[in-house]
Amino acid sequence: LKDSSPLWKFPTDRFVNYFFLNEAFKIIVDEVLNKGTDVQQKVCDWKEPEELAQLLDLELRAAGEPHHRLLERVRDVAKYSIKTSHPRFFNQQFAGVDYHSLAGRFLSEALNTNLYTYEAAPVFVLMENEVLRSLRLLIGWTEGDGIFCPGGSTSNMYAMNLARFQLFPEVKSQGLCGLPRLAIFTSSQSHYSVKKGAGFLGIGTDNVILVKVDDGGCMIPEDLDEKIALVKSQGTVPFIVSCTAGTTVQGAFDPLDRIADVCEKHKLWMHVDVTNSVAWNPHKLLLAGLQCSALLLRDCTGLLKRCHVANATYLFQQDKFYDLDLDIGNKSLQCSRKVDCLKLWLMWKAVGSSGLEERVNKACLLCRYFVQELKKRKGFYLLHEPEFLNICFWFIPPSLRGKEGNPDYQEKLAKVAPAIKERMMKKGSMMVGYQPLENKVNFFRMVVLSPLVSQEDMDFCLDEIERLGNDM
Amino acid sequence: LKDSSPLWKFPTDRFVNYFFLNEAFKIIVDEVLNKGTDVQQKVCDWKEPEELAQLLDLELRAAGEPHHRLLERVRDVAKYSIKTSHPRFFNQQFAGVDYHSLAGRFLSEALNTNLYTYEAAPVFVLMENEVLRSLRLLIGWTEGDGIFCPGGSTSNMYAMNLARFQLFPEVKSQGLCGLPRLAIFTSSQSHYSVKKGAGFLGIGTDNVILVKVDDGGCMIPEDLDEKIALVKSQGTVPFIVSCTAGTTVQGAFDPLDRIADVCEKHKLWMHVDVTNSVAWNPHKLLLAGLQCSALLLRDCTGLLKRCHVANATYLFQQDKFYDLDLDIGNKSLQCSRKVDCLKLWLMWKAVGSSGLEERVNKACLLCRYFVQELKKRKGFYLLHEPEFLNICFWFIPPSLRGKEGNPDYQEKLAKVAPAIKERMMKKGSMMVGYQPLENKVNFFRMVVLSPLVSQEDMDFCLDEIERLGNDM
């Protein structure tokens, strides 16, 4: 067998590889971090899908390609991708770039290990523990548990599963068959992951009871209390209230203290709260980069592990030469789990808690500035005074001003935001989201997060909407 | 408000940031890719947790740190982390490094976008589609659906949820309450994610019926057929058979054709199969890097979307100016979803399908070489002729040779692998896993995947076990 096959000559020339990686790194810096954050450049280079597919030549073939061709591909992918770190990207709840976090992400990718055992990830088992502890301290918990999940939807699902397991530990082994109907309470403006999770966990989306919100989008505790009582009287068992601290559209905060009282009264698990669990996504406002989502628990009884343990003998051998509590894989539903703590840790070390605080304060200041300027202009109307960093507003084009009484006013207004959005994307000048909400027709949802953003960018955003919509 | 606050002066000096990132990149190349793959260096630098925590100074404080200190931290994290790309890392089902994939991972991290809508990720919506199509073609499906998931456990859970939804679409809205007991079939040597998923989905781990395996670890179709019939006679509804193509410990392949016949007979969803769905993890043998896990579906009726759709109005507006099928977020349980396709795509473009094939062939060749050499040596015993790239074997130290008849033989043999493992980790020379399996006491599980590995590394592995265990 020895030396008998050309396979032994598999090309692994180190210097060729380093050179390639180095060139790719230079293109990334140039296209994504330099041009991609330059306000003089487009935020997106809109192409129709057919045209884009052709430009990219996506097809995968039997033969490989030389490095110079691959480097062109790296440049093309960067060129036609959305510049989410651009100062004119206000489209989602992430934006901007932190270079320390980015260094942490490159390091995690290069180290390519798996957060299930101490033997495979000694540094990261300890680091995740410390980052979770620090996050818990920020919300005032001196003890507890937690885990990084692949996104907030997963964190929310974990919380539901834990709340259910605490109330009915037998669900894990026996399933829901034979149990009474279970119910989850959340506000009508909460994130859709609550319903997705209920479907996935076998609880059913119909058993997610939507609690009424006030005009600002905050859950009304009295309605929660009434709905819990009603559901109980029908023989259904409520087990969790999933609150929201910063709703997706309006950025509203549910009144956590008053909801806590209702939960206390009915003995329900409260998620996002001083009571049981919080899902916290540093990949949003804190700029840690996708994915970075922590589930924090107040529990100190090992609930997370008891709920998810599987004890695979090939990973979690009981006769290891170190403390088995360091093998944290039994807390996760995943087996392979990416390292999501390093990027946050390195960024936190870089700017300190005070630097993180400063960023949040800067975002709040920018948000207030935007609202102040918006109010000075004709044709801009706030849905509601913003509670957080989401600014929801309509732009009323000249032809609709003063026509509020017309029967087709709402119908025409609904078409304004999509039309302006199409124009800004095809121009590549800016990205802002829009949507309808309950009985309100399409409005813009501006999200201000990034420390790279300035007052000038806020002014530009208002000017650009006027420019794009003034002939409507 | 204008210019009134020091917050506006938030430091965003581009050149300082580029310099920092560039220095971090150099450290990553040096520590992880250069030293970390050098056979003359240790695969791990073992520290007790208390000592390691102290060395790393993990605590997060109010004040930030200067760049030179952060660069030391980048080096420390790299230094004390496991070198999973080292030629002596045989500990898990991932190993080695592909520099093209790594370039794709750096690019994904820098672009930091979210795979839910075409407007946020135009390149990656099209690319994911093409990569999934190419993976399906490799298993012989000319049409179908699929999605990248955060790991194989999640892919397996998706398959269970889809199979359940296809049989009982009302589960999504109404939950499991009122339905008969459901059952999942899998082999007794399948991955633990099947049980974890059953617990999470509300089915219950007791309702995962473990089918017997033969000596090589392959599911016995006759036992499957009998167990399905038994469960049905008890009023339970079977809905999925979760097969394994390469079990975690022995690398065994369930006999898919014969299991397909049983599934056909009982009208069950078959996972990992020519019938319904496959979970495929390119982050393992194909070296794409964590996380890269695809769920492939044969379904062409939009089952994935119907099962997981939530229609969030702020993302999936129905009045967009482009084809709404390009907004693929409704197929996922996640909302924020990382781009996991680019790294695989770039690597595939680089080496071609033929290059990927060559790597798998090289791994098989190395595995055969290892087995051939192992058989020539005293004290090494295979559990079973390997079917794939996992080589399961015992090392019998001199003091136990010829003592098979002694009453404490098994008990003593069970302690050999953990003791050798401790020695190799503290020395940092090599990493190989071990575990017991059913009635077999602790044995080594060697996994050979990486194209960086040579015949010399195979020889070293056998020599090193002898060196570390010869005084036992």
Side-chain angles (χ1 to χ4, degrees), chain A residues 196 317 332 349 421 434, chain B residues 59 119 196 317 332 434:
Chain A
K196 277 207 180 185
Q317 302 93 322
S332 171
K349 277 284 189 194
K421 177 70 179 273
Y434 74 86
Chain B
E59 195 191 338
E119 70 182 74
K196 277 208 179 186
Q317 302 92 324
S332 170
Y434 74 87

Side-chain angles (χ1 to χ4, degrees), chain A residues 12 48 106 161 198-199 221-222 238 287 331 369 412 436:
Chain A
T12 51
E48 295 298 332
F106 286 2
N161 193 42
E222 293 74 19
L287 310 186
K331 292 185 178 185
Y369 176 77
K412 282 184 170 168

Side-chain angles (χ1 to χ4, degrees), chain B residues 313-348:
Chain B
T313 53
Y314 73 98
L315 283 173
F316 311 114
Q317 302 92 324
Q318 297 303 298
D319 45 12
K320 283 191 177 175
F321 63 96
Y322 59 83
D323 178 3
L324 300 178
D325 280 345
L326 293 166
D327 289 350
I328 54 176
N330 274 322
K331 291 185 178 183
S332 170
L333 270 170
Q334 299 173 269
C335 175
S336 290
R337 188 162 67 93
K338 221 179 157 280
V339 173
D340 292 334
C341 58
L342 171 62
K343 47 195 167 191
L344 177 57
W345 181 82
L346 198 66
M347 177 173 79
W348 201 327

Side-chain angles (χ1 to χ4, degrees), chain B residues 68-130:
Chain B
H68 70 87
R69 183 78 192 89
L70 293 171
L71 292 171
E72 285 168 24
R73 295 192 176 280
V74 167
R75 198 178 289 278
D76 283 348
V77 167
K79 182 169 156 48
Y80 296 114
S81 286
I82 302 299
K83 306 305 180 297
T84 65
S85 306
H86 193 283
R88 303 286 156 77
F89 182 82
F90 307 105
N91 204 63
Q92 319 291 155
Q93 290 186 312
F94 60 95
V97 57
D98 177 280
Y99 289 81
H100 313 103
S101 165
L102 193 56
R105 290 149 76 188
F106 286 3
L107 181 55
S108 307
E109 292 294 331
L111 285 167
N112 196 43
T113 200
N114 198 319
L115 244 175
Y116 41 42
T117 60
Y118 185 74
E119 70 182 74
V123 172
F124 302 123
V125 166
L126 302 180
M127 186 183 283
E128 181 169 71
N129 193 36
E130 183 61 26

Side-chain angles (χ1 to χ4, degrees), chain B residues 31-32 34 58 80 112 132 156 163 253 258 303 310 388:
Chain B
E31 289 287 337
V32 185
N34 195 351
L58 290 168
Y80 296 114
N112 196 43
L132 291 168
N156 287 338
F253 284 67
R258 292 170 58 213
L303 183 71
F388 194 35

